[in-house]
mmCIF file of all heavy atoms in Angstrom:
data_model
loop_
_atom_site.group_PDB
_atom_site.id
_atom_site.type_symbol
_atom_site.label_atom_id
_atom_site.label_comp_id
_atom_site.label_asym_id
_atom_site.label_seq_id
_atom_site.Cartn_x
_atom_site.Cartn_y
_atom_site.Cartn_z
ATOM 1 N N VAL A 1 -2.553 1.591 -11.105
ATOM 2 C CA VAL A 1 -1.937 0.704 -12.085
ATOM 3 C C VAL A 1 -1.382 -0.531 -11.376
ATOM 4 O O VAL A 1 -1.043 -0.494 -10.192
ATOM 5 C CB VAL A 1 -0.819 1.411 -12.872
ATOM 6 C CG1 VAL A 1 -1.387 2.558 -13.696
ATOM 7 C CG2 VAL A 1 0.277 1.908 -11.940
ATOM 8 N N GLU A 2 -1.299 -1.622 -12.128
ATOM 9 C CA GLU A 2 -0.894 -2.917 -11.569
ATOM 10 C C GLU A 2 0.414 -3.379 -12.214
ATOM 11 O O GLU A 2 0.509 -3.526 -13.424
ATOM 12 C CB GLU A 2 -2.002 -3.935 -11.828
ATOM 13 C CG GLU A 2 -1.716 -5.330 -11.287
ATOM 14 C CD GLU A 2 -2.821 -6.304 -11.655
ATOM 15 O OE1 GLU A 2 -2.948 -6.623 -12.865
ATOM 16 O OE2 GLU A 2 -3.557 -6.728 -10.750
ATOM 17 N N PHE A 3 1.436 -3.588 -11.335
ATOM 18 C CA PHE A 3 2.685 -4.193 -11.811
ATOM 19 C C PHE A 3 2.481 -5.676 -12.099
ATOM 20 O O PHE A 3 2.783 -6.186 -13.166
ATOM 21 C CB PHE A 3 3.777 -4.079 -10.735
ATOM 22 C CG PHE A 3 4.260 -2.697 -10.482
ATOM 23 C CD1 PHE A 3 3.832 -1.991 -9.366
ATOM 24 C CD2 PHE A 3 5.152 -2.093 -11.344
ATOM 25 C CE1 PHE A 3 4.298 -0.719 -9.111
ATOM 26 C CE2 PHE A 3 5.624 -0.822 -11.095
ATOM 27 C CZ PHE A 3 5.189 -0.124 -9.975
ATOM 28 N N LYS A 4 1.997 -6.360 -11.065
ATOM 29 C CA LYS A 4 1.692 -7.789 -11.086
ATOM 30 C C LYS A 4 0.367 -7.968 -10.381
ATOM 31 O O LYS A 4 -0.057 -7.091 -9.616
ATOM 32 C CB LYS A 4 2.773 -8.595 -10.354
ATOM 33 C CG LYS A 4 4.188 -8.433 -10.880
ATOM 34 C CD LYS A 4 4.411 -9.236 -12.139
ATOM 35 C CE LYS A 4 5.875 -9.159 -12.573
ATOM 36 N NZ LYS A 4 6.101 -9.924 -13.822
ATOM 37 N N PRO A 5 -0.336 -9.085 -10.611
ATOM 38 C CA PRO A 5 -1.583 -9.305 -9.870
ATOM 39 C C PRO A 5 -1.357 -9.155 -8.367
ATOM 40 O O PRO A 5 -0.492 -9.803 -7.789
ATOM 41 C CB PRO A 5 -1.962 -10.740 -10.244
ATOM 42 C CG PRO A 5 -1.363 -10.932 -11.594
ATOM 43 C CD PRO A 5 -0.081 -10.163 -11.580
ATOM 44 N N GLY A 6 -2.121 -8.221 -7.775
ATOM 45 C CA GLY A 6 -1.992 -7.976 -6.345
ATOM 46 C C GLY A 6 -0.977 -6.912 -5.993
ATOM 47 O O GLY A 6 -0.851 -6.546 -4.827
ATOM 48 N N LYS A 7 -0.214 -6.413 -6.958
ATOM 49 C CA LYS A 7 0.796 -5.392 -6.715
ATOM 50 C C LYS A 7 0.386 -4.126 -7.470
ATOM 51 O O LYS A 7 0.628 -4.001 -8.680
ATOM 52 C CB LYS A 7 2.179 -5.865 -7.174
ATOM 53 C CG LYS A 7 2.740 -7.012 -6.361
ATOM 54 C CD LYS A 7 3.161 -6.531 -4.972
ATOM 55 C CE LYS A 7 3.805 -7.644 -4.198
ATOM 56 N NZ LYS A 7 4.302 -7.186 -2.879
ATOM 57 N N GLU A 8 -0.247 -3.175 -6.762
ATOM 58 C CA GLU A 8 -0.810 -1.981 -7.378
ATOM 59 C C GLU A 8 -0.215 -0.728 -6.738
ATOM 60 O O GLU A 8 0.265 -0.766 -5.602
ATOM 61 C CB GLU A 8 -2.334 -1.965 -7.210
ATOM 62 C CG GLU A 8 -3.022 -3.186 -7.818
ATOM 63 C CD GLU A 8 -4.504 -3.236 -7.446
ATOM 64 O OE1 GLU A 8 -4.918 -2.399 -6.609
ATOM 65 O OE2 GLU A 8 -5.229 -4.084 -7.985
ATOM 66 N N THR A 9 -0.283 0.384 -7.478
ATOM 67 C CA THR A 9 0.130 1.676 -6.935
ATOM 68 C C THR A 9 -0.601 2.775 -7.696
ATOM 69 O O THR A 9 -1.215 2.525 -8.745
ATOM 70 C CB THR A 9 1.657 1.856 -7.031
ATOM 71 O OG1 THR A 9 2.038 2.982 -6.258
ATOM 72 C CG2 THR A 9 2.108 2.041 -8.475
ATOM 73 N N LEU A 10 -0.503 3.998 -7.163
ATOM 74 C CA LEU A 10 -1.196 5.136 -7.770
ATOM 75 C C LEU A 10 -0.283 5.859 -8.747
ATOM 76 O O LEU A 10 0.862 6.195 -8.408
ATOM 77 C CB LEU A 10 -1.662 6.113 -6.680
ATOM 78 C CG LEU A 10 -2.251 7.437 -7.182
ATOM 79 C CD1 LEU A 10 -3.570 7.199 -7.915
ATOM 80 C CD2 LEU A 10 -2.434 8.419 -6.022
ATOM 81 N N LEU A 11 -0.785 6.072 -9.949
ATOM 82 C CA LEU A 11 -0.145 6.973 -10.906
ATOM 83 C C LEU A 11 -0.906 8.291 -10.826
ATOM 84 O O LEU A 11 -2.037 8.401 -11.317
ATOM 85 C CB LEU A 11 -0.199 6.384 -12.322
ATOM 86 C CG LEU A 11 0.280 7.305 -13.454
ATOM 87 C CD1 LEU A 11 1.744 7.687 -13.271
ATOM 88 C CD2 LEU A 11 0.057 6.652 -14.818
ATOM 89 N N HIS A 12 -0.304 9.291 -10.163
ATOM 90 C CA HIS A 12 -0.991 10.569 -9.952
ATOM 91 C C HIS A 12 -1.101 11.315 -11.272
ATOM 92 O O HIS A 12 -0.236 11.207 -12.146
ATOM 93 C CB HIS A 12 -0.226 11.407 -8.917
ATOM 94 C CG HIS A 12 -1.020 12.541 -8.371
ATOM 95 N ND1 HIS A 12 -1.022 13.804 -8.939
ATOM 96 C CD2 HIS A 12 -1.865 12.607 -7.301
ATOM 97 C CE1 HIS A 12 -1.824 14.596 -8.251
ATOM 98 N NE2 HIS A 12 -2.344 13.889 -7.239
ATOM 99 N N VAL A 13 -2.180 12.092 -11.411
ATOM 100 C CA VAL A 13 -2.426 12.811 -12.654
ATOM 101 C C VAL A 13 -1.278 13.753 -12.995
ATOM 102 O O VAL A 13 -0.997 14.021 -14.171
ATOM 103 C CB VAL A 13 -3.769 13.578 -12.572
ATOM 104 C CG1 VAL A 13 -3.696 14.693 -11.531
ATOM 105 C CG2 VAL A 13 -4.176 14.135 -13.930
ATOM 106 N N SER A 14 -0.587 14.253 -11.970
ATOM 107 C CA SER A 14 0.543 15.154 -12.224
ATOM 108 C C SER A 14 1.706 14.451 -12.901
ATOM 109 O O SER A 14 2.609 15.105 -13.416
ATOM 110 C CB SER A 14 1.009 15.787 -10.919
ATOM 111 O OG SER A 14 1.502 14.799 -10.037
ATOM 112 N N GLU A 15 1.698 13.103 -12.871
ATOM 113 C CA GLU A 15 2.772 12.336 -13.495
ATOM 114 C C GLU A 15 2.339 11.715 -14.822
ATOM 115 O O GLU A 15 3.059 10.916 -15.391
ATOM 116 C CB GLU A 15 3.260 11.226 -12.540
ATOM 117 C CG GLU A 15 3.865 11.734 -11.255
ATOM 118 C CD GLU A 15 5.145 12.512 -11.480
ATOM 119 O OE1 GLU A 15 5.809 12.303 -12.526
ATOM 120 O OE2 GLU A 15 5.494 13.343 -10.625
ATOM 121 N N PHE A 16 1.142 12.141 -15.310
ATOM 122 C CA PHE A 16 0.682 11.619 -16.602
ATOM 123 C C PHE A 16 1.538 12.163 -17.746
ATOM 124 O O PHE A 16 1.902 11.441 -18.663
ATOM 125 C CB PHE A 16 -0.777 12.016 -16.836
ATOM 126 C CG PHE A 16 -1.778 11.072 -16.237
ATOM 127 C CD1 PHE A 16 -1.462 10.312 -15.117
ATOM 128 C CD2 PHE A 16 -3.047 10.947 -16.784
ATOM 129 C CE1 PHE A 16 -2.386 9.456 -14.561
ATOM 130 C CE2 PHE A 16 -3.971 10.083 -16.240
ATOM 131 C CZ PHE A 16 -3.644 9.333 -15.114
ATOM 132 N N ASP A 17 1.780 13.507 -17.679
ATOM 133 C CA ASP A 17 2.420 14.160 -18.822
ATOM 134 C C ASP A 17 3.126 15.415 -18.314
ATOM 135 O O ASP A 17 2.952 15.835 -17.155
ATOM 136 C CB ASP A 17 1.368 14.524 -19.877
ATOM 137 C CG ASP A 17 1.951 14.623 -21.278
ATOM 138 O OD1 ASP A 17 3.127 15.027 -21.381
ATOM 139 O OD2 ASP A 17 1.245 14.294 -22.246
ATOM 140 N N TYR A 18 3.928 15.998 -19.207
ATOM 141 C CA TYR A 18 4.601 17.242 -18.856
ATOM 142 C C TYR A 18 3.617 18.410 -18.839
ATOM 143 O O TYR A 18 3.852 19.414 -18.179
ATOM 144 C CB TYR A 18 5.734 17.521 -19.838
ATOM 145 C CG TYR A 18 6.931 16.614 -19.614
ATOM 146 C CD1 TYR A 18 7.117 15.478 -20.382
ATOM 147 C CD2 TYR A 18 7.867 16.914 -18.628
ATOM 148 C CE1 TYR A 18 8.207 14.646 -20.180
ATOM 149 C CE2 TYR A 18 8.961 16.088 -18.418
ATOM 150 C CZ TYR A 18 9.128 14.952 -19.189
ATOM 151 O OH TYR A 18 10.197 14.147 -18.978
ATOM 152 N N LYS A 19 2.548 18.277 -19.566
ATOM 153 C CA LYS A 19 1.536 19.326 -19.544
ATOM 154 C C LYS A 19 0.471 18.986 -18.506
ATOM 155 O O LYS A 19 0.341 17.841 -18.078
ATOM 156 C CB LYS A 19 0.896 19.477 -20.928
ATOM 157 C CG LYS A 19 0.113 18.260 -21.374
ATOM 158 C CD LYS A 19 -0.438 18.473 -22.779
ATOM 159 C CE LYS A 19 -1.240 17.231 -23.223
ATOM 160 N NZ LYS A 19 -1.754 17.398 -24.600
ATOM 161 N N ARG A 20 -0.281 20.016 -18.173
ATOM 162 C CA ARG A 20 -1.290 19.831 -17.142
ATOM 163 C C ARG A 20 -2.466 19.030 -17.708
ATOM 164 O O ARG A 20 -2.941 19.304 -18.808
ATOM 165 C CB ARG A 20 -1.773 21.192 -16.633
ATOM 166 C CG ARG A 20 -2.835 21.091 -15.537
ATOM 167 C CD ARG A 20 -3.262 22.483 -15.096
ATOM 168 N NE ARG A 20 -4.317 22.394 -14.126
ATOM 169 C CZ ARG A 20 -4.137 22.223 -12.810
ATOM 170 N NH1 ARG A 20 -2.899 22.124 -12.342
ATOM 171 N NH2 ARG A 20 -5.166 22.165 -11.985
ATOM 172 N N ILE A 21 -2.918 18.023 -16.935
ATOM 173 C CA ILE A 21 -4.067 17.203 -17.327
ATOM 174 C C ILE A 21 -5.196 17.497 -16.350
ATOM 175 O O ILE A 21 -5.054 17.324 -15.134
ATOM 176 C CB ILE A 21 -3.728 15.706 -17.306
ATOM 177 C CG1 ILE A 21 -2.514 15.406 -18.195
ATOM 178 C CG2 ILE A 21 -4.944 14.863 -17.731
ATOM 179 C CD1 ILE A 21 -2.710 15.721 -19.652
ATOM 180 N N GLU A 22 -6.317 17.980 -16.869
ATOM 181 C CA GLU A 22 -7.448 18.292 -15.999
ATOM 182 C C GLU A 22 -8.249 17.046 -15.641
ATOM 183 O O GLU A 22 -8.648 16.855 -14.483
ATOM 184 C CB GLU A 22 -8.367 19.310 -16.703
ATOM 185 C CG GLU A 22 -7.742 20.658 -16.934
ATOM 186 C CD GLU A 22 -7.555 21.429 -15.643
ATOM 187 O OE1 GLU A 22 -8.157 21.032 -14.614
ATOM 188 O OE2 GLU A 22 -6.776 22.397 -15.638
ATOM 189 N N ASP A 23 -8.462 16.162 -16.618
ATOM 190 C CA ASP A 23 -9.310 14.980 -16.395
ATOM 191 C C ASP A 23 -8.508 13.719 -16.751
ATOM 192 O O ASP A 23 -8.205 13.496 -17.932
ATOM 193 C CB ASP A 23 -10.557 15.069 -17.269
ATOM 194 C CG ASP A 23 -11.535 13.923 -17.009
ATOM 195 O OD1 ASP A 23 -11.216 13.033 -16.165
ATOM 196 O OD2 ASP A 23 -12.597 13.895 -17.649
ATOM 197 N N PRO A 24 -8.137 12.872 -15.759
ATOM 198 C CA PRO A 24 -7.334 11.671 -16.066
ATOM 199 C C PRO A 24 -7.985 10.747 -17.077
ATOM 200 O O PRO A 24 -7.301 10.076 -17.846
ATOM 201 C CB PRO A 24 -7.193 10.985 -14.704
ATOM 202 C CG PRO A 24 -7.413 12.068 -13.701
ATOM 203 C CD PRO A 24 -8.401 13.008 -14.315
ATOM 204 N N SER A 25 -9.327 10.717 -17.106
ATOM 205 C CA SER A 25 -10.023 9.775 -17.998
ATOM 206 C C SER A 25 -9.881 10.133 -19.462
ATOM 207 O O SER A 25 -10.198 9.333 -20.336
ATOM 208 C CB SER A 25 -11.501 9.697 -17.615
ATOM 209 O OG SER A 25 -12.138 10.951 -17.788
ATOM 210 N N THR A 26 -9.416 11.359 -19.750
ATOM 211 C CA THR A 26 -9.190 11.714 -21.157
ATOM 212 C C THR A 26 -7.898 11.108 -21.686
ATOM 213 O O THR A 26 -7.680 11.083 -22.901
ATOM 214 C CB THR A 26 -9.133 13.238 -21.317
ATOM 215 O OG1 THR A 26 -8.034 13.745 -20.546
ATOM 216 C CG2 THR A 26 -10.432 13.897 -20.857
ATOM 217 N N ILE A 27 -7.057 10.634 -20.766
ATOM 218 C CA ILE A 27 -5.767 10.067 -21.171
ATOM 219 C C ILE A 27 -5.768 8.541 -21.055
ATOM 220 O O ILE A 27 -5.296 7.832 -21.948
ATOM 221 C CB ILE A 27 -4.626 10.646 -20.323
ATOM 222 C CG1 ILE A 27 -4.611 12.172 -20.413
ATOM 223 C CG2 ILE A 27 -3.287 10.065 -20.749
ATOM 224 C CD1 ILE A 27 -4.364 12.703 -21.795
ATOM 225 N N LEU A 28 -6.321 8.031 -19.957
ATOM 226 C CA LEU A 28 -6.277 6.592 -19.690
ATOM 227 C C LEU A 28 -7.656 6.059 -19.366
ATOM 228 O O LEU A 28 -8.536 6.800 -18.885
ATOM 229 C CB LEU A 28 -5.338 6.293 -18.518
ATOM 230 C CG LEU A 28 -3.858 6.613 -18.714
ATOM 231 C CD1 LEU A 28 -3.103 6.381 -17.409
ATOM 232 C CD2 LEU A 28 -3.260 5.775 -19.835
ATOM 233 N N SER A 29 -7.821 4.733 -19.603
ATOM 234 C CA SER A 29 -9.054 4.025 -19.252
ATOM 235 C C SER A 29 -8.678 2.698 -18.605
ATOM 236 O O SER A 29 -7.555 2.193 -18.776
ATOM 237 C CB SER A 29 -9.909 3.769 -20.503
ATOM 238 O OG SER A 29 -10.248 4.977 -21.137
ATOM 239 N N VAL A 30 -9.617 2.104 -17.873
ATOM 240 C CA VAL A 30 -9.396 0.798 -17.260
ATOM 241 C C VAL A 30 -9.080 -0.233 -18.351
ATOM 242 O O VAL A 30 -9.776 -0.305 -19.369
ATOM 243 C CB VAL A 30 -10.628 0.361 -16.452
ATOM 244 C CG1 VAL A 30 -10.469 -1.076 -15.958
ATOM 245 C CG2 VAL A 30 -10.855 1.296 -15.282
ATOM 246 N N GLY A 31 -8.036 -1.001 -18.147
ATOM 247 C CA GLY A 31 -7.611 -2.001 -19.130
ATOM 248 C C GLY A 31 -6.473 -1.552 -19.998
ATOM 249 O O GLY A 31 -5.822 -2.386 -20.653
ATOM 250 N N ASP A 32 -6.187 -0.229 -20.041
ATOM 251 C CA ASP A 32 -5.059 0.260 -20.828
ATOM 252 C C ASP A 32 -3.744 -0.234 -20.220
ATOM 253 O O ASP A 32 -3.630 -0.428 -19.008
ATOM 254 C CB ASP A 32 -5.049 1.793 -20.858
ATOM 255 C CG ASP A 32 -6.156 2.358 -21.734
ATOM 256 O OD1 ASP A 32 -6.805 1.555 -22.432
ATOM 257 O OD2 ASP A 32 -6.375 3.583 -21.687
ATOM 258 N N THR A 33 -2.749 -0.401 -21.071
ATOM 259 C CA THR A 33 -1.403 -0.730 -20.608
ATOM 260 C C THR A 33 -0.468 0.388 -21.021
ATOM 261 O O THR A 33 -0.652 1.011 -22.082
ATOM 262 C CB THR A 33 -0.910 -2.061 -21.187
ATOM 263 O OG1 THR A 33 -0.905 -1.991 -22.610
ATOM 264 C CG2 THR A 33 -1.804 -3.225 -20.736
ATOM 265 N N LEU A 34 0.549 0.624 -20.200
ATOM 266 C CA LEU A 34 1.471 1.724 -20.471
ATOM 267 C C LEU A 34 2.773 1.473 -19.737
ATOM 268 O O LEU A 34 2.857 0.604 -18.856
ATOM 269 C CB LEU A 34 0.873 3.056 -20.042
ATOM 270 C CG LEU A 34 0.645 3.256 -18.520
ATOM 271 C CD1 LEU A 34 0.715 4.726 -18.171
ATOM 272 C CD2 LEU A 34 -0.718 2.679 -18.111
ATOM 273 N N ASP A 35 3.797 2.244 -20.087
ATOM 274 C CA ASP A 35 5.070 2.168 -19.405
ATOM 275 C C ASP A 35 5.152 3.259 -18.354
ATOM 276 O O ASP A 35 4.738 4.410 -18.598
ATOM 277 C CB ASP A 35 6.221 2.345 -20.392
ATOM 278 C CG ASP A 35 6.382 1.143 -21.306
ATOM 279 O OD1 ASP A 35 5.950 0.049 -20.901
ATOM 280 O OD2 ASP A 35 6.924 1.295 -22.418
ATOM 281 N N VAL A 36 5.678 2.917 -17.203
ATOM 282 C CA VAL A 36 5.908 3.888 -16.143
ATOM 283 C C VAL A 36 7.294 3.658 -15.579
ATOM 284 O O VAL A 36 7.838 2.551 -15.649
ATOM 285 C CB VAL A 36 4.856 3.793 -15.007
ATOM 286 C CG1 VAL A 36 3.461 4.106 -15.519
ATOM 287 C CG2 VAL A 36 4.906 2.434 -14.331
ATOM 288 N N LYS A 37 7.850 4.716 -15.026
ATOM 289 C CA LYS A 37 9.149 4.623 -14.355
ATOM 290 C C LYS A 37 8.927 4.636 -12.855
ATOM 291 O O LYS A 37 8.167 5.458 -12.342
ATOM 292 C CB LYS A 37 10.037 5.788 -14.782
ATOM 293 C CG LYS A 37 11.458 5.712 -14.225
ATOM 294 C CD LYS A 37 12.309 6.849 -14.777
ATOM 295 C CE LYS A 37 13.744 6.751 -14.298
ATOM 296 N NZ LYS A 37 14.580 7.846 -14.858
ATOM 297 N N TYR A 38 9.580 3.707 -12.177
ATOM 298 C CA TYR A 38 9.427 3.630 -10.726
ATOM 299 C C TYR A 38 10.385 4.616 -10.084
ATOM 300 O O TYR A 38 11.603 4.540 -10.277
ATOM 301 C CB TYR A 38 9.709 2.207 -10.228
ATOM 302 C CG TYR A 38 9.544 2.048 -8.738
ATOM 303 C CD1 TYR A 38 8.301 2.234 -8.146
ATOM 304 C CD2 TYR A 38 10.625 1.717 -7.929
ATOM 305 C CE1 TYR A 38 8.136 2.088 -6.777
ATOM 306 C CE2 TYR A 38 10.471 1.568 -6.559
ATOM 307 C CZ TYR A 38 9.219 1.757 -5.982
ATOM 308 O OH TYR A 38 9.061 1.616 -4.627
ATOM 309 N N MET A 39 9.821 5.524 -9.296
ATOM 310 C CA MET A 39 10.591 6.609 -8.700
ATOM 311 C C MET A 39 10.981 6.338 -7.252
ATOM 312 O O MET A 39 11.645 7.150 -6.628
ATOM 313 C CB MET A 39 9.771 7.916 -8.763
ATOM 314 C CG MET A 39 9.193 8.211 -10.137
ATOM 315 S SD MET A 39 10.460 8.427 -11.402
ATOM 316 C CE MET A 39 11.194 9.956 -10.877
ATOM 317 N N GLY A 40 10.563 5.179 -6.717
ATOM 318 C CA GLY A 40 10.880 4.867 -5.325
ATOM 319 C C GLY A 40 9.746 5.232 -4.388
ATOM 320 O O GLY A 40 8.607 5.471 -4.808
ATOM 321 N N VAL A 41 10.042 5.296 -3.126
ATOM 322 C CA VAL A 41 9.045 5.615 -2.105
ATOM 323 C C VAL A 41 9.156 7.086 -1.763
ATOM 324 O O VAL A 41 10.242 7.592 -1.442
ATOM 325 C CB VAL A 41 9.241 4.752 -0.840
ATOM 326 C CG1 VAL A 41 8.262 5.149 0.246
ATOM 327 C CG2 VAL A 41 9.083 3.279 -1.183
ATOM 328 N N ASP A 42 8.030 7.771 -1.857
ATOM 329 C CA ASP A 42 7.992 9.191 -1.522
ATOM 330 C C ASP A 42 8.316 9.353 -0.039
ATOM 331 O O ASP A 42 7.632 8.781 0.814
ATOM 332 C CB ASP A 42 6.596 9.753 -1.830
ATOM 333 C CG ASP A 42 6.563 11.269 -1.717
ATOM 334 O OD1 ASP A 42 7.046 11.796 -0.692
ATOM 335 O OD2 ASP A 42 6.024 11.902 -2.635
ATOM 336 N N PRO A 43 9.364 10.107 0.303
ATOM 337 C CA PRO A 43 9.743 10.226 1.716
ATOM 338 C C PRO A 43 8.688 10.910 2.576
ATOM 339 O O PRO A 43 8.665 10.725 3.788
ATOM 340 C CB PRO A 43 11.042 11.040 1.660
ATOM 341 C CG PRO A 43 10.994 11.767 0.362
ATOM 342 C CD PRO A 43 10.239 10.880 -0.592
ATOM 343 N N ARG A 44 7.793 11.705 1.935
ATOM 344 C CA ARG A 44 6.783 12.398 2.722
ATOM 345 C C ARG A 44 5.535 11.551 2.927
ATOM 346 O O ARG A 44 5.047 11.391 4.038
ATOM 347 C CB ARG A 44 6.401 13.726 2.035
ATOM 348 C CG ARG A 44 5.477 14.611 2.882
ATOM 349 C CD ARG A 44 5.278 15.939 2.201
ATOM 350 N NE ARG A 44 4.589 15.790 0.938
ATOM 351 C CZ ARG A 44 3.253 15.767 0.819
ATOM 352 N NH1 ARG A 44 2.488 15.858 1.881
ATOM 353 N NH2 ARG A 44 2.693 15.635 -0.359
ATOM 354 N N THR A 45 5.051 10.936 1.848
ATOM 355 C CA THR A 45 3.816 10.139 1.953
ATOM 356 C C THR A 45 4.082 8.682 2.301
ATOM 357 O O THR A 45 3.164 7.956 2.669
ATOM 358 C CB THR A 45 3.057 10.188 0.618
ATOM 359 O OG1 THR A 45 3.852 9.532 -0.388
ATOM 360 C CG2 THR A 45 2.777 11.624 0.200
ATOM 361 N N LYS A 46 5.355 8.249 2.164
ATOM 362 C CA LYS A 46 5.731 6.851 2.422
ATOM 363 C C LYS A 46 5.032 5.882 1.473
ATOM 364 O O LYS A 46 4.830 4.711 1.798
ATOM 365 C CB LYS A 46 5.430 6.448 3.868
ATOM 366 C CG LYS A 46 6.007 7.369 4.913
ATOM 367 C CD LYS A 46 7.513 7.481 4.818
ATOM 368 C CE LYS A 46 8.083 8.386 5.913
ATOM 369 N NZ LYS A 46 9.535 8.598 5.757
ATOM 370 N N LYS A 47 4.641 6.391 0.301
ATOM 371 C CA LYS A 47 3.984 5.541 -0.684
ATOM 372 C C LYS A 47 4.826 5.474 -1.950
ATOM 373 O O LYS A 47 5.630 6.368 -2.232
ATOM 374 C CB LYS A 47 2.589 6.086 -1.016
ATOM 375 C CG LYS A 47 1.624 6.025 0.157
ATOM 376 C CD LYS A 47 0.248 6.548 -0.236
ATOM 377 C CE LYS A 47 -0.729 6.469 0.930
ATOM 378 N NZ LYS A 47 -2.063 6.995 0.561
ATOM 379 N N GLN A 48 4.619 4.376 -2.707
ATOM 380 C CA GLN A 48 5.363 4.222 -3.952
ATOM 381 C C GLN A 48 4.938 5.284 -4.962
ATOM 382 O O GLN A 48 3.763 5.664 -5.037
ATOM 383 C CB GLN A 48 5.127 2.832 -4.539
ATOM 384 C CG GLN A 48 5.726 1.705 -3.716
ATOM 385 C CD GLN A 48 5.451 0.356 -4.342
ATOM 386 O OE1 GLN A 48 4.447 0.177 -5.028
ATOM 387 N NE2 GLN A 48 6.344 -0.602 -4.099
#
């Protein structure tokens, strides 16, 4: 997902919903817009 042009990060499938999602494409497609909450930098992976 893109915050701003050139500013991208990964929305992991485990953070799509409270229920388990087997296939991310059943929920989202390229071009969709959505709200996400920024959780900070993962201390283990060092990624947003």
